[in-house]
Amino acid sequence: MTKNFIEELRWRGMLHDAMPGTEAYLLEKMRAAYVGFDPTADSLHIGNLVPIMLLAHYQRAGHKPFALVGGATGMIGDPSGKSAERNFLDEKTLRHNQEAIKSQLARFLDFESNTANAAVLVNNYDWMKDFSFLDFIRDVGKHITVNYMMAKDSVKSRISSESSEGMSFTEFTYQLVQGYDFLHLYREYKCTLQMGGSDQWGNITTGTELIRRVGGGKGYALTCPLITKSDGSKFGKSEGGNVWLDANRTSPYKFYQYWLNTSDEDAEKYIKIFTFLTEEEIKNLVTAHKEVPHQRILQKKLADEVTVIVHSQEDLDNAIKASNILFGKSTSADLKDLDEATFLDVFDGVPQAEISKSRIDAGLDMIGALAEHTNFLKSNGEARRALKENSISVNKEKVTDSFLISEKDLINDQFVLLQRGKKNYFVIRVI
């Protein structure tokens, strides 16, 4: 039995456009659909989460999802919204990226079950690599006119843009290659629906046109809105660039913080799009949040849910523990539980000074630690006053002027955290 996939997208705010008849068509029986992913990196980022969630909801509605890794199209580059061509990748790199992407998709999709709607990963390089240019223009190109291709928004915007250098023939043919993917999947797997972001409508409908003209059948198109932030800044970007799904590129702590720092308006929208919570659960959360907005109930639940799905419960627990070090009550023991990468993430941007290991071995006095050897405070006199005011902590524990920093105080054998008051931090790195 299939559930109403379109209705699920509708209440979640994930439906931008769909061909007439798509909803009724999907309610008839299990259907196969695909979404394409760019394999030019060995990790997806949170900008890819919307199409991933499309496939996840599709499978949960009883349908069969195909994730297409664009090995061939990745060698060309999609002109939609791009001002320049992408760099070409070799096959070895593409295969590595494909496996990495599949492992990330497996957090959302069931590839392993024996059910009829188990997810499938395909790579268009497999059917395009032996397709000669002459065969392609004879079997595919002759069915789509240049007028039709020129009318696409993605093409027109590139050609008419003053800042663009125009569009190469390579990129111009992108929509034909993507259109052929749809035709190939239609023929081989009875795949009749392609989904993607709203900027992909032109490329998707080229595929439906090929299915009509060459395959003698009918294909369907469905798009989701491009996600924006309420303040106008780009979703999925942080100060360090993309927010990646790979923990080695974006740590679980920074990933968690990204969602935790969303505005109230965005959190109410994102919790529908990026979690599997039910409509009733989300309504209850929104109501509870509006009663005590300062407690950030929506943001916390959103960050919890997405971090567990993308990473793990253990990663979420560690991210929360790390967050409490800055914003809650924590101890020296909590600090020492942090691995080096998380420690550096938590105190990213905090001023640092290097001190030799020999000085620590001899016992570093607090005046030297605060002023003389670090310049955390401006003078020895200011250091003495701060200590007398009981406003200085070492590794989250209050100290007096008689305290000596020694080897036992090192975090990960190399860091000491100084703090004045609640918000002024300083890191000593021992070398």
Side-chain angles (χ1 to χ4, degrees):
M1 288 291 292
T2 56
K3 299 175 184 175
N4 193 328
F5 171 66
I6 300 292
E7 183 54 39
E8 184 77 18
L9 297 189
R10 198 174 279 126
W11 78 258
R12 289 184 182 274
M14 294 176 70
L15 183 65
H16 182 268
D17 207 354
M19 276 190 171
T22 302
E23 185 169 5
Y25 178 73
L26 293 179
L27 284 171
E28 289 174 2
K29 63 178 183 178
M30 184 186 79
R31 307 288 188 183
Y34 89 94
V35 170
F37 296 94
D38 174 21
T40 49
D42 62 357
S43 174
L44 299 172
H45 51 78
I46 63 172
N48 301 120
L49 280 179
V50 179
I52 293 173
M53 293 300 284
L54 280 180
L55 285 180
H57 285 301
Y58 195 70
Q59 187 173 42
R60 287 171 175 234
H63 297 292
K64 188 173 184 69
F66 282 75
L68 183 145
V69 171
T73 38
M75 290 181 168
I76 299 172
D78 179 359
S80 305
K82 309 294 190 302
S83 59
E85 291 196 42
R86 297 175 181 173
N87 295 326
F88 298 160
L89 299 178
D90 58 61
E91 184 177 356
K92 183 180 178 182
T93 303
L94 285 167
R95 294 298 182 191
H96 165 76
N97 293 354
Q98 174 183 325
E99 289 307 308
I101 288 169
K102 183 177 182 180
S103 69
Q104 292 177 341
L105 292 174
R107 303 284 303 178
F108 298 82
L109 302 171
D110 179 8
F111 289 96
E112 304 300 327
S113 71
N114 295 321
T115 58
N117 73 324
V120 178
L121 186 82
V122 292
N123 188 333
N124 63 5
Y125 184 75
D126 293 331
W127 56 83
M128 293 301 299
K129 63 182 177 182
D130 297 323
F131 209 160
S132 75
F133 177 70
L134 291 176
D135 288 341
F136 188 79
I137 59 174
R138 182 193 66 201
D139 298 341
V140 181
K142 74 176 183 179
H143 296 285
I144 301 293
T145 67
V146 171
N147 291 11
Y148 179 88
M149 296 171 71
M150 291 286 289
K152 300 295 185 182
D153 288 340
S154 60
V155 175
K156 286 194 293 188
S157 64
R158 280 289 297 279
I159 291 175
S160 62
S161 172
E162 292 181 5
S163 61
S164 171
E165 296 178 358
M167 177 181 283
S168 69
F169 175 76
T170 305
E171 283 194 297
F172 182 60
T173 58
Y174 181 93
Q175 61 174 291
L176 279 182
V177 180
Q178 183 171 330
Y180 181 74
D181 287 342
F182 199 176
L183 176 61
H184 176 86
L185 293 175
Y186 172 80
R187 285 169 165 169
E188 297 296 319
Y189 301 101
K190 297 180 181 177
C191 183
T192 49
L193 172 65
Q194 184 183 167
M195 303 185 289
S198 58
D199 60 336
Q200 290 292 314
W201 183 260
N203 291 334
I204 295 173
T205 52
T206 298
T208 63
E209 193 67 8
L210 276 175
I211 288 172
R212 183 180 72 82
R213 295 184 184 188
V214 184
K218 183 170 176 59
Y220 291 82
L222 182 151
T223 59
C224 57
L226 297 180
I227 303 303
T228 56
K229 292 174 74 171
S230 57
D231 64 3
S233 61
K234 189 170 182 180
F235 169 76
K237 297 283 186 180
S238 67
E239 291 178 6
N242 282 328
V243 179
W244 300 92
L245 305 191
D246 184 344
N248 293 319
R249 286 174 175 255
T250 299
S251 69
Y253 168 76
K254 282 193 171 179
F255 184 87
Y256 174 78
Q257 285 294 321
Y258 180 86
W259 300 101
L260 199 62
N261 290 326
T262 55
S263 67
D264 286 356
E265 184 181 342
D266 287 337
E268 189 171 338
K269 178 170 68 172
Y270 293 169
I271 202 162
K272 296 176 186 175
I273 298 171
F274 299 110
T275 76
F276 295 112
L277 297 174
T278 66
E279 188 172 11
E280 184 179 359
E281 287 172 325
I282 291 172
K283 282 180 179 176
N284 291 338
L285 283 166
V286 170
T287 300
H289 177 90
K290 287 179 177 176
E291 289 174 358
V292 281
H294 64 281
Q295 292 184 12
R296 300 177 68 77
I297 292 171
L298 272 180
Q299 286 91 336
K300 288 176 182 176
K301 187 63 174 175
L302 171 67
D304 287 359
E305 292 289 319
V306 184
T307 304
V308 168
I309 297 169
V310 172
H311 296 291
S312 68
Q313 182 64 49
E314 182 182 1
D315 286 325
L316 170 63
D317 294 341
N318 288 336
I320 292 172
K321 189 186 299 181
S323 298
N324 287 339
I325 285 168
L326 273 185
F327 308 112
K329 293 180 179 179
S330 57
T331 64
S332 177
D334 294 329
L335 264 180
K336 290 180 179 179
D337 280 345
L338 296 182
D339 58 73
E340 180 182 349
T342 306
F343 178 87
L344 291 173
D345 277 343
V346 172
F347 298 102
D348 185 28
V350 170
Q352 296 185 14
E354 293 183 347
I355 288 181
S356 68
K357 179 71 160 54
S358 59
R359 197 176 294 279
I360 296 293
D361 290 340
L364 177 63
D365 67 279
M366 288 310 302
I367 301 298
L370 293 169
E372 182 182 352
H373 301 304
T374 65
N375 293 318
F376 174 28
L377 303 185
K378 293 177 183 177
S379 66
N380 290 351
E382 185 179 351
R384 289 190 185 92
R385 285 192 297 275
L387 287 162
K388 192 171 287 186
E389 292 165 358
N390 197 33
S391 64
I392 299 297
S393 299
V394 172
N395 296 340
K396 288 293 189 176
E397 295 182 356
K398 295 283 187 182
V399 296
T400 64
D401 57 2
S402 63
F403 186 82
L404 294 177
I405 297 174
S406 64
E407 187 176 6
K408 67 178 174 55
D409 299 305
L410 298 185
I411 300 164
N412 281 294
D413 297 322
Q414 59 178 320
F415 302 111
V416 177
L417 180 68
L418 303 179
Q419 187 177 352
R420 183 182 189 180
K422 288 186 176 180
K423 296 182 179 178
N424 293 320
Y425 290 97
F426 193 93
V427 173
I428 295 175
R429 184 190 285 266
V430 178
I431 57 174

